[in-house]
Amino acid sequence: MIGRILNAKFVPSSSDAALLVLRVGAGFILFLRHGWEKVSQLTLLNPHFPDPLHIGRNTGWVLAMLSDGVCSLLIVLGVGTRWLSFYCFFNIFIAWAFVHHFTFWERLRVPTTAS
């Protein structure tokens, strides 16, 4: 028994199990962190949503809701994972680049002092 635990025989040797855990975990995290707040409001209009691509606030809101809310759940189910993952990545990259200006953590941002 101890030899089996030390040799890690209980860990599946297939990469399919690891890809399943990665797909389901990433999809649920994306949905719970970003999608739930968009889907739970049940509206297609958000006048305070940022518009970095100048396509309109409501259009950007709907595209973000599709990406974070709908596509993340479809990724968890395994439907069109490659294309939907690309769409989700593109949406998150646009938000990270144009809205958050490539910041990782807010507290690491250097404060500016007005002189």
Side-chain angles (χ1 to χ4, degrees):
M1 181 70 178
I2 295 276
R4 183 172 183 234
I5 292 174
L6 292 177
N7 290 331
K9 300 276 187 193
F10 58 91
V11 177
S13 61
S14 173
S15 63
D16 293 338
L19 290 174
L20 174 70
V21 170
L22 180 67
R23 177 175 53 85
V24 170
F28 270 135
I29 288 171
L30 178 63
F31 179 74
L32 293 176
R33 179 75 177 130
H34 298 284
W36 180 250
E37 67 185 20
K38 292 178 181 73
V39 173
S40 65
Q41 293 179 3
L42 294 176
T43 180
L44 297 178
L45 304 174
N46 186 356
H48 305 294
F49 195 72
D51 186 21
L53 297 178
H54 306 291
I55 58 174
R57 294 186 187 277
N58 294 334
T59 306
W61 171 256
V62 170
L63 292 175
M65 186 171 32
L66 284 174
S67 170
D68 298 342
V70 177
C71 291
S72 62
L73 291 178
L74 290 174
I75 288 172
V76 169
L77 294 175
V79 178
T81 55
R82 290 182 186 176
W83 290 103
L84 295 178
S85 297
F86 176 73
Y87 178 64
C88 290
F89 172 79
F90 181 75
N91 185 29
I92 290 175
F93 182 78
I94 293 297
W96 183 49
F98 293 113
V99 177
H100 300 289
H101 306 292
F102 296 108
T103 56
F104 286 107
W105 296 283
E106 283 293 320
R107 64 177 177 220
L108 295 180
R109 186 179 290 178
V110 178
T112 58
T113 58
S115 298

Short mmCIF file of all heavy atoms in Angstrom, two decimals, residues 8-71:
data_model
loop_
_atom_site.label_atom_id
_atom_site.label_comp_id
_atom_site.label_asym_id
_atom_site.label_seq_id
_atom_site.Cartn_x
_atom_site.Cartn_y
_atom_site.Cartn_z
N ALA A 8 2.85 6.76 -6.85
CA ALA A 8 1.76 7.54 -7.43
C ALA A 8 1.01 6.73 -8.48
O ALA A 8 0.68 7.24 -9.55
CB ALA A 8 2.28 8.85 -8.01
N LYS A 9 0.71 5.48 -8.18
CA LYS A 9 -0.04 4.64 -9.11
C LYS A 9 -1.51 5.04 -9.19
O LYS A 9 -2.20 4.64 -10.12
CB LYS A 9 0.05 3.16 -8.69
CG LYS A 9 1.45 2.62 -8.65
CD LYS A 9 1.85 2.19 -10.01
CE LYS A 9 3.22 1.50 -9.89
NZ LYS A 9 3.84 1.30 -11.14
N PHE A 10 -1.98 5.81 -8.23
CA PHE A 10 -3.38 6.20 -8.23
C PHE A 10 -3.67 7.38 -9.16
O PHE A 10 -4.81 7.67 -9.47
CB PHE A 10 -3.83 6.57 -6.81
CG PHE A 10 -3.03 7.68 -6.19
CD1 PHE A 10 -3.41 8.98 -6.34
CD2 PHE A 10 -1.87 7.39 -5.47
CE1 PHE A 10 -2.68 10.00 -5.77
CE2 PHE A 10 -1.13 8.40 -4.90
CZ PHE A 10 -1.53 9.71 -5.05
N VAL A 11 -2.64 8.05 -9.63
CA VAL A 11 -2.81 9.19 -10.54
C VAL A 11 -3.00 8.65 -11.95
O VAL A 11 -2.23 7.82 -12.42
CB VAL A 11 -1.57 10.11 -10.49
CG1 VAL A 11 -1.71 11.25 -11.48
CG2 VAL A 11 -1.37 10.65 -9.08
N PRO A 12 -4.05 9.10 -12.65
CA PRO A 12 -4.25 8.61 -14.01
C PRO A 12 -3.10 9.03 -14.92
O PRO A 12 -2.60 10.16 -14.83
CB PRO A 12 -5.56 9.26 -14.46
CG PRO A 12 -5.98 10.17 -13.39
CD PRO A 12 -5.09 10.00 -12.22
N SER A 13 -2.68 8.13 -15.77
CA SER A 13 -1.56 8.44 -16.66
C SER A 13 -2.03 9.05 -17.98
O SER A 13 -1.20 9.44 -18.79
CB SER A 13 -0.76 7.16 -16.94
OG SER A 13 -1.59 6.21 -17.57
N SER A 14 -3.31 9.15 -18.18
CA SER A 14 -3.85 9.73 -19.40
C SER A 14 -3.88 11.25 -19.30
O SER A 14 -4.21 11.81 -18.25
CB SER A 14 -5.26 9.20 -19.65
OG SER A 14 -5.85 9.87 -20.72
N SER A 15 -3.59 11.92 -20.38
CA SER A 15 -3.67 13.38 -20.38
C SER A 15 -5.11 13.86 -20.54
O SER A 15 -5.39 15.04 -20.32
CB SER A 15 -2.80 13.95 -21.50
OG SER A 15 -3.28 13.52 -22.75
N ASP A 16 -6.01 12.97 -20.91
CA ASP A 16 -7.42 13.36 -21.07
C ASP A 16 -8.02 13.83 -19.76
O ASP A 16 -8.80 14.79 -19.73
CB ASP A 16 -8.23 12.20 -21.63
CG ASP A 16 -7.86 11.86 -23.05
OD1 ASP A 16 -7.30 12.76 -23.73
OD2 ASP A 16 -8.10 10.73 -23.48
N ALA A 17 -7.67 13.18 -18.66
CA ALA A 17 -8.21 13.58 -17.36
C ALA A 17 -7.70 14.96 -16.96
O ALA A 17 -8.46 15.79 -16.44
CB ALA A 17 -7.84 12.55 -16.29
N ALA A 18 -6.44 15.23 -17.25
CA ALA A 18 -5.88 16.55 -16.92
C ALA A 18 -6.52 17.64 -17.77
O ALA A 18 -6.82 18.73 -17.27
CB ALA A 18 -4.38 16.53 -17.13
N LEU A 19 -6.76 17.35 -19.05
CA LEU A 19 -7.40 18.34 -19.91
C LEU A 19 -8.85 18.58 -19.50
O LEU A 19 -9.35 19.71 -19.59
CB LEU A 19 -7.34 17.89 -21.37
CG LEU A 19 -5.94 17.93 -21.99
CD1 LEU A 19 -5.98 17.32 -23.39
CD2 LEU A 19 -5.41 19.33 -22.04
N LEU A 20 -9.52 17.54 -19.02
CA LEU A 20 -10.89 17.70 -18.53
C LEU A 20 -10.92 18.61 -17.31
O LEU A 20 -11.75 19.52 -17.22
CB LEU A 20 -11.50 16.34 -18.20
CG LEU A 20 -12.87 16.36 -17.54
CD1 LEU A 20 -13.92 16.83 -18.55
CD2 LEU A 20 -13.21 15.01 -16.99
N VAL A 21 -10.01 18.37 -16.36
CA VAL A 21 -9.96 19.19 -15.16
C VAL A 21 -9.61 20.64 -15.52
O VAL A 21 -10.21 21.58 -14.98
CB VAL A 21 -8.94 18.61 -14.15
CG1 VAL A 21 -8.67 19.57 -13.01
CG2 VAL A 21 -9.42 17.28 -13.63
N LEU A 22 -8.69 20.84 -16.43
CA LEU A 22 -8.32 22.19 -16.86
C LEU A 22 -9.48 22.90 -17.54
O LEU A 22 -9.77 24.06 -17.25
CB LEU A 22 -7.12 22.12 -17.80
CG LEU A 22 -6.61 23.45 -18.33
CD1 LEU A 22 -6.03 24.28 -17.20
CD2 LEU A 22 -5.57 23.20 -19.40
N ARG A 23 -10.18 22.21 -18.42
CA ARG A 23 -11.30 22.80 -19.15
C ARG A 23 -12.44 23.16 -18.22
O ARG A 23 -12.96 24.28 -18.25
CB ARG A 23 -11.77 21.84 -20.23
CG ARG A 23 -12.96 22.33 -21.01
CD ARG A 23 -13.33 21.40 -22.15
NE ARG A 23 -13.52 20.02 -21.77
CZ ARG A 23 -14.67 19.52 -21.30
NH1 ARG A 23 -15.71 20.29 -21.16
NH2 ARG A 23 -14.76 18.24 -21.01
N VAL A 24 -12.82 22.23 -17.36
CA VAL A 24 -13.94 22.48 -16.44
C VAL A 24 -13.56 23.54 -15.41
O VAL A 24 -14.35 24.44 -15.12
CB VAL A 24 -14.37 21.16 -15.77
CG1 VAL A 24 -15.36 21.41 -14.66
CG2 VAL A 24 -14.98 20.22 -16.81
N GLY A 25 -12.34 23.46 -14.88
CA GLY A 25 -11.91 24.44 -13.89
C GLY A 25 -11.83 25.85 -14.45
O GLY A 25 -12.33 26.80 -13.85
N ALA A 26 -11.22 26.00 -15.61
CA ALA A 26 -11.10 27.33 -16.21
C ALA A 26 -12.46 27.88 -16.60
O ALA A 26 -12.73 29.08 -16.43
CB ALA A 26 -10.18 27.26 -17.43
N GLY A 27 -13.34 27.04 -17.12
CA GLY A 27 -14.67 27.49 -17.50
C GLY A 27 -15.49 27.96 -16.31
O GLY A 27 -16.14 29.00 -16.35
N PHE A 28 -15.46 27.18 -15.22
CA PHE A 28 -16.20 27.57 -14.03
C PHE A 28 -15.63 28.82 -13.39
O PHE A 28 -16.37 29.69 -12.92
CB PHE A 28 -16.25 26.44 -13.00
CG PHE A 28 -17.41 25.52 -13.17
CD1 PHE A 28 -17.24 24.16 -13.11
CD2 PHE A 28 -18.68 26.00 -13.40
CE1 PHE A 28 -18.31 23.30 -13.27
CE2 PHE A 28 -19.77 25.16 -13.56
CZ PHE A 28 -19.57 23.80 -13.50
N ILE A 29 -14.31 28.94 -13.34
CA ILE A 29 -13.71 30.14 -12.76
C ILE A 29 -14.07 31.37 -13.57
O ILE A 29 -14.41 32.42 -13.01
CB ILE A 29 -12.18 29.96 -12.64
CG1 ILE A 29 -11.87 28.96 -11.53
CG2 ILE A 29 -11.50 31.29 -12.36
CD1 ILE A 29 -10.42 28.56 -11.46
N LEU A 30 -14.02 31.26 -14.89
CA LEU A 30 -14.40 32.39 -15.73
C LEU A 30 -15.86 32.75 -15.52
O LEU A 30 -16.21 33.93 -15.41
CB LEU A 30 -14.15 32.07 -17.20
CG LEU A 30 -14.55 33.15 -18.21
CD1 LEU A 30 -13.75 34.42 -17.98
CD2 LEU A 30 -14.35 32.65 -19.61
N PHE A 31 -16.72 31.75 -15.44
CA PHE A 31 -18.14 32.04 -15.24
C PHE A 31 -18.40 32.64 -13.87
O PHE A 31 -19.13 33.63 -13.75
CB PHE A 31 -18.98 30.78 -15.41
CG PHE A 31 -20.45 31.02 -15.20
CD1 PHE A 31 -21.20 31.68 -16.15
CD2 PHE A 31 -21.07 30.61 -14.04
CE1 PHE A 31 -22.55 31.93 -15.96
CE2 PHE A 31 -22.42 30.85 -13.83
CZ PHE A 31 -23.16 31.50 -14.80
N LEU A 32 -17.82 32.08 -12.82
CA LEU A 32 -18.09 32.57 -11.48
C LEU A 32 -17.47 33.94 -11.23
O LEU A 32 -18.04 34.76 -10.50
CB LEU A 32 -17.59 31.57 -10.44
CG LEU A 32 -18.34 30.24 -10.40
CD1 LEU A 32 -17.69 29.30 -9.40
CD2 LEU A 32 -19.80 30.45 -10.06
N ARG A 33 -16.32 34.20 -11.83
CA ARG A 33 -15.63 35.48 -11.58
C ARG A 33 -16.19 36.61 -12.44
O ARG A 33 -16.32 37.74 -11.97
CB ARG A 33 -14.14 35.30 -11.84
CG ARG A 33 -13.32 36.51 -11.65
CD ARG A 33 -13.13 36.83 -10.18
NE ARG A 33 -12.25 37.98 -10.07
CZ ARG A 33 -12.52 39.03 -9.33
NH1 ARG A 33 -13.59 39.05 -8.60
NH2 ARG A 33 -11.69 40.04 -9.30
N HIS A 34 -16.50 36.33 -13.70
CA HIS A 34 -16.92 37.40 -14.61
C HIS A 34 -18.32 37.20 -15.19
O HIS A 34 -19.03 38.18 -15.41
CB HIS A 34 -15.92 37.52 -15.76
CG HIS A 34 -14.55 37.87 -15.32
ND1 HIS A 34 -14.21 39.14 -14.94
CD2 HIS A 34 -13.44 37.13 -15.19
CE1 HIS A 34 -12.94 39.17 -14.59
NE2 HIS A 34 -12.44 37.96 -14.74
N GLY A 35 -18.69 35.98 -15.47
CA GLY A 35 -19.95 35.73 -16.16
C GLY A 35 -21.18 35.89 -15.30
O GLY A 35 -22.21 36.39 -15.77
N TRP A 36 -21.10 35.47 -14.05
CA TRP A 36 -22.28 35.51 -13.20
C TRP A 36 -22.77 36.94 -12.99
O TRP A 36 -23.97 37.21 -12.98
CB TRP A 36 -22.01 34.83 -11.86
CG TRP A 36 -23.19 34.86 -10.96
CD1 TRP A 36 -23.34 35.59 -9.83
CD2 TRP A 36 -24.43 34.17 -11.14
NE1 TRP A 36 -24.58 35.38 -9.28
CE2 TRP A 36 -25.27 34.51 -10.07
CE3 TRP A 36 -24.89 33.29 -12.11
CZ2 TRP A 36 -26.55 34.00 -9.95
CZ3 TRP A 36 -26.18 32.79 -11.97
CH2 TRP A 36 -26.99 33.14 -10.91
N GLU A 37 -21.85 37.89 -12.83
CA GLU A 37 -22.28 39.27 -12.61
C GLU A 37 -22.95 39.86 -13.84
O GLU A 37 -23.80 40.74 -13.72
CB GLU A 37 -21.09 40.13 -12.20
CG GLU A 37 -20.06 40.32 -13.29
CD GLU A 37 -18.83 41.07 -12.84
OE1 GLU A 37 -18.59 41.11 -11.63
OE2 GLU A 37 -18.12 41.59 -13.70
N LYS A 38 -22.61 39.37 -15.02
CA LYS A 38 -23.24 39.87 -16.24
C LYS A 38 -24.58 39.17 -16.51
O LYS A 38 -25.54 39.81 -16.91
CB LYS A 38 -22.30 39.69 -17.42
CG LYS A 38 -21.08 40.57 -17.36
CD LYS A 38 -20.15 40.31 -18.51
CE LYS A 38 -18.92 41.17 -18.43
NZ LYS A 38 -17.99 40.76 -17.41
N VAL A 39 -24.63 37.87 -16.29
CA VAL A 39 -25.85 37.11 -16.57
C VAL A 39 -26.91 37.38 -15.51
O VAL A 39 -28.10 37.43 -15.82
CB VAL A 39 -25.51 35.60 -16.66
CG1 VAL A 39 -26.76 34.77 -16.79
CG2 VAL A 39 -24.59 35.35 -17.84
N SER A 40 -26.52 37.58 -14.27
CA SER A 40 -27.50 37.74 -13.19
C SER A 40 -28.26 39.05 -13.29
O SER A 40 -29.35 39.17 -12.72
CB SER A 40 -26.81 37.64 -11.83
OG SER A 40 -25.91 38.71 -11.66
N GLN A 41 -27.74 40.04 -13.99
CA GLN A 41 -28.45 41.31 -14.10
C GLN A 41 -29.60 41.24 -15.11
O GLN A 41 -30.49 42.09 -15.09
CB GLN A 41 -27.48 42.42 -14.47
CG GLN A 41 -26.51 42.70 -13.37
CD GLN A 41 -25.51 43.77 -13.73
OE1 GLN A 41 -25.59 44.35 -14.80
NE2 GLN A 41 -24.59 44.04 -12.84
N LEU A 42 -29.58 40.26 -16.00
CA LEU A 42 -30.66 40.01 -16.95
C LEU A 42 -31.06 41.25 -17.75
O LEU A 42 -32.24 41.56 -17.91
CB LEU A 42 -31.88 39.41 -16.25
CG LEU A 42 -31.69 38.03 -15.66
CD1 LEU A 42 -32.93 37.60 -14.92
CD2 LEU A 42 -31.34 37.02 -16.73
N THR A 43 -30.08 41.98 -18.23
CA THR A 43 -30.37 43.13 -19.07
C THR A 43 -29.33 43.18 -20.19
O THR A 43 -28.21 42.73 -20.03
CB THR A 43 -30.33 44.44 -18.27
OG1 THR A 43 -30.61 45.52 -19.14
CG2 THR A 43 -29.00 44.66 -17.59
N LEU A 44 -29.75 43.68 -21.32
CA LEU A 44 -28.83 43.82 -22.45
C LEU A 44 -28.29 45.24 -22.54
O LEU A 44 -27.59 45.58 -23.48
CB LEU A 44 -29.53 43.44 -23.76
CG LEU A 44 -30.00 41.99 -23.85
CD1 LEU A 44 -30.71 41.75 -25.17
CD2 LEU A 44 -28.83 41.04 -23.70
N LEU A 45 -28.61 46.08 -21.56
CA LEU A 45 -28.16 47.47 -21.56
C LEU A 45 -27.35 47.74 -20.30
O LEU A 45 -27.77 47.41 -19.20
CB LEU A 45 -29.36 48.42 -21.60
CG LEU A 45 -30.33 48.24 -22.77
CD1 LEU A 45 -31.52 49.15 -22.60
CD2 LEU A 45 -29.63 48.51 -24.08
N ASN A 46 -26.18 48.33 -20.48
CA ASN A 46 -25.35 48.75 -19.35
C ASN A 46 -24.67 50.05 -19.73
O ASN A 46 -23.67 50.05 -20.44
CB ASN A 46 -24.32 47.68 -18.99
CG ASN A 46 -23.56 48.03 -17.73
OD1 ASN A 46 -23.75 49.09 -17.16
ND2 ASN A 46 -22.71 47.13 -17.30
N PRO A 47 -25.20 51.18 -19.28
CA PRO A 47 -24.63 52.47 -19.70
C PRO A 47 -23.26 52.77 -19.10
O PRO A 47 -22.56 53.65 -19.59
CB PRO A 47 -25.67 53.48 -19.22
CG PRO A 47 -26.38 52.80 -18.11
CD PRO A 47 -26.36 51.34 -18.43
N HIS A 48 -22.83 52.03 -18.08
CA HIS A 48 -21.55 52.29 -17.43
C HIS A 48 -20.45 51.34 -17.88
O HIS A 48 -19.37 51.36 -17.32
CB HIS A 48 -21.72 52.22 -15.91
CG HIS A 48 -22.78 53.14 -15.40
ND1 HIS A 48 -22.67 54.52 -15.46
CD2 HIS A 48 -23.98 52.89 -14.84
CE1 HIS A 48 -23.75 55.06 -14.95
NE2 HIS A 48 -24.56 54.11 -14.57
N PHE A 49 -20.72 50.49 -18.85
CA PHE A 49 -19.72 49.53 -19.33
C PHE A 49 -18.69 50.25 -20.19
O PHE A 49 -19.05 51.10 -21.00
CB PHE A 49 -20.42 48.43 -20.14
CG PHE A 49 -19.57 47.22 -20.37
CD1 PHE A 49 -19.30 46.35 -19.34
CD2 PHE A 49 -19.03 46.95 -21.61
CE1 PHE A 49 -18.53 45.23 -19.53
CE2 PHE A 49 -18.25 45.84 -21.83
CZ PHE A 49 -18.00 44.97 -20.78
N PRO A 50 -17.39 49.95 -20.02
CA PRO A 50 -16.38 50.64 -20.83
C PRO A 50 -16.49 50.28 -22.32
O PRO A 50 -16.97 49.20 -22.66
CB PRO A 50 -15.05 50.15 -20.25
CG PRO A 50 -15.38 48.95 -19.46
CD PRO A 50 -16.81 49.04 -19.06
N ASP A 51 -16.05 51.18 -23.16
CA ASP A 51 -16.14 51.00 -24.61
C ASP A 51 -14.76 51.21 -25.25
O ASP A 51 -14.52 52.21 -25.93
CB ASP A 51 -17.16 51.98 -25.19
CG ASP A 51 -17.43 51.76 -26.67
OD1 ASP A 51 -17.14 50.64 -27.15
OD2 ASP A 51 -17.91 52.68 -27.32
N PRO A 52 -13.83 50.26 -25.05
CA PRO A 52 -12.46 50.48 -25.55
C PRO A 52 -12.34 50.35 -27.07
O PRO A 52 -11.45 50.95 -27.65
CB PRO A 52 -11.64 49.40 -24.85
CG PRO A 52 -12.62 48.31 -24.59
CD PRO A 52 -13.93 49.00 -24.32
N LEU A 53 -13.20 49.61 -27.72
CA LEU A 53 -13.10 49.41 -29.16
C LEU A 53 -14.01 50.34 -29.95
O LEU A 53 -14.06 50.27 -31.17
CB LEU A 53 -13.43 47.95 -29.52
CG LEU A 53 -12.49 46.90 -28.96
CD1 LEU A 53 -12.94 45.52 -29.35
CD2 LEU A 53 -11.08 47.16 -29.43
N HIS A 54 -14.75 51.19 -29.25
CA HIS A 54 -15.66 52.17 -29.86
C HIS A 54 -16.71 51.50 -30.75
O HIS A 54 -16.98 51.94 -31.86
CB HIS A 54 -14.88 53.23 -30.64
CG HIS A 54 -13.84 53.90 -29.82
ND1 HIS A 54 -14.15 54.75 -28.79
CD2 HIS A 54 -12.49 53.83 -29.86
CE1 HIS A 54 -13.03 55.19 -28.23
NE2 HIS A 54 -12.01 54.64 -28.86
N ILE A 55 -17.30 50.42 -30.24
CA ILE A 55 -18.38 49.74 -30.94
C ILE A 55 -19.72 49.98 -30.26
O ILE A 55 -20.73 49.45 -30.68
CB ILE A 55 -18.11 48.22 -31.05
CG1 ILE A 55 -17.94 47.60 -29.67
CG2 ILE A 55 -16.93 47.95 -31.93
CD1 ILE A 55 -17.80 46.10 -29.67
N GLY A 56 -19.70 50.75 -29.20
CA GLY A 56 -20.91 51.04 -28.44
C GLY A 56 -20.90 50.30 -27.11
O GLY A 56 -20.44 49.16 -27.02
N ARG A 57 -21.37 50.96 -26.07
CA ARG A 57 -21.36 50.35 -24.74
C ARG A 57 -22.27 49.12 -24.66
O ARG A 57 -21.91 48.12 -24.07
CB ARG A 57 -21.78 51.38 -23.69
CG ARG A 57 -20.79 52.51 -23.56
CD ARG A 57 -21.17 53.43 -22.41
NE ARG A 57 -20.32 54.60 -22.38
CZ ARG A 57 -19.12 54.63 -21.83
NH1 ARG A 57 -18.64 53.55 -21.28
NH2 ARG A 57 -18.42 55.74 -21.83
N ASN A 58 -23.45 49.21 -25.26
CA ASN A 58 -24.38 48.08 -25.20
C ASN A 58 -23.89 46.90 -26.03
O ASN A 58 -24.02 45.76 -25.62
CB ASN A 58 -25.76 48.52 -25.65
CG ASN A 58 -26.36 49.52 -24.69
OD1 ASN A 58 -26.02 49.53 -23.52
ND2 ASN A 58 -27.23 50.36 -25.19
N THR A 59 -23.29 47.18 -27.19
CA THR A 59 -22.75 46.10 -28.01
C THR A 59 -21.59 45.41 -27.30
O THR A 59 -21.49 44.19 -27.29
CB THR A 59 -22.28 46.65 -29.37
OG1 THR A 59 -23.36 47.35 -29.98
CG2 THR A 59 -21.81 45.54 -30.27
N GLY A 60 -20.71 46.20 -26.69
CA GLY A 60 -19.61 45.63 -25.92
C GLY A 60 -20.10 44.82 -24.73
O GLY A 60 -19.54 43.77 -24.40
N TRP A 61 -21.17 45.31 -24.09
CA TRP A 61 -21.75 44.59 -22.95
C TRP A 61 -22.30 43.23 -23.38
O TRP A 61 -22.08 42.22 -22.72
CB TRP A 61 -22.85 45.44 -22.32
CG TRP A 61 -23.67 44.74 -21.29
CD1 TRP A 61 -24.93 44.28 -21.43
CD2 TRP A 61 -23.28 44.44 -19.95
NE1 TRP A 61 -25.35 43.69 -20.28
CE2 TRP A 61 -24.36 43.78 -19.35
CE3 TRP A 61 -22.14 44.64 -19.21
CZ2 TRP A 61 -24.33 43.34 -18.04
CZ3 TRP A 61 -22.10 44.21 -17.90
CH2 TRP A 61 -23.18 43.56 -17.33
N VAL A 62 -23.01 43.21 -24.50
CA VAL A 62 -23.58 41.95 -25.00
C VAL A 62 -22.47 40.98 -25.40
O VAL A 62 -22.53 39.78 -25.10
CB VAL A 62 -24.55 42.22 -26.17
CG1 VAL A 62 -24.96 40.94 -26.85
CG2 VAL A 62 -25.78 42.96 -25.67
N LEU A 63 -21.43 41.47 -26.08
CA LEU A 63 -20.31 40.60 -26.47
C LEU A 63 -19.58 40.06 -25.25
O LEU A 63 -19.17 38.89 -25.23
CB LEU A 63 -19.35 41.35 -27.39
CG LEU A 63 -19.89 41.70 -28.77
CD1 LEU A 63 -18.89 42.54 -29.53
CD2 LEU A 63 -20.25 40.44 -29.54
N ALA A 64 -19.42 40.88 -24.22
CA ALA A 64 -18.77 40.41 -22.99
C ALA A 64 -19.66 39.42 -22.25
O ALA A 64 -19.17 38.44 -21.68
CB ALA A 64 -18.44 41.60 -22.09
N MET A 65 -20.98 39.66 -22.26
CA MET A 65 -21.89 38.72 -21.61
C MET A 65 -21.89 37.37 -22.33
O MET A 65 -21.93 36.33 -21.70
CB MET A 65 -23.30 39.30 -21.56
CG MET A 65 -24.25 38.44 -20.77
SD MET A 65 -25.88 39.14 -20.44
CE MET A 65 -26.23 40.15 -21.81
N LEU A 66 -21.83 37.40 -23.66
CA LEU A 66 -21.75 36.15 -24.40
C LEU A 66 -20.45 35.41 -24.09
O LEU A 66 -20.44 34.19 -23.91
CB LEU A 66 -21.84 36.42 -25.91
CG LEU A 66 -23.21 36.72 -26.46
CD1 LEU A 66 -23.12 37.11 -27.92
CD2 LEU A 66 -24.13 35.54 -26.29
N SER A 67 -19.36 36.15 -24.03
CA SER A 67 -18.06 35.52 -23.77
C SER A 67 -17.98 34.96 -22.36
O SER A 67 -17.66 33.78 -22.17
CB SER A 67 -16.95 36.56 -23.97
OG SER A 67 -15.72 36.07 -23.51
N ASP A 68 -18.23 35.81 -21.37
CA ASP A 68 -18.03 35.40 -19.98
C ASP A 68 -19.16 34.55 -19.43
O ASP A 68 -18.93 33.70 -18.57
CB ASP A 68 -17.87 36.64 -19.10
CG ASP A 68 -16.67 37.47 -19.49
OD1 ASP A 68 -15.79 36.93 -20.18
OD2 ASP A 68 -16.61 38.65 -19.10
N GLY A 69 -20.36 34.76 -19.91
CA GLY A 69 -21.49 34.02 -19.37
C GLY A 69 -21.84 32.78 -20.13
O GLY A 69 -21.84 31.67 -19.58
N VAL A 70 -22.08 32.92 -21.42
CA VAL A 70 -22.57 31.78 -22.21
C VAL A 70 -21.42 30.88 -22.66
O VAL A 70 -21.46 29.66 -22.48
CB VAL A 70 -23.38 32.30 -23.43
CG1 VAL A 70 -23.83 31.15 -24.30
CG2 VAL A 70 -24.57 33.11 -22.96
N CYS A 71 -20.38 31.49 -23.24
CA CYS A 71 -19.28 30.68 -23.78
C CYS A 71 -18.53 29.91 -22.70
O CYS A 71 -18.07 28.80 -22.93
CB CYS A 71 -18.32 31.54 -24.57
SG CYS A 71 -19.02 32.17 -26.09
#
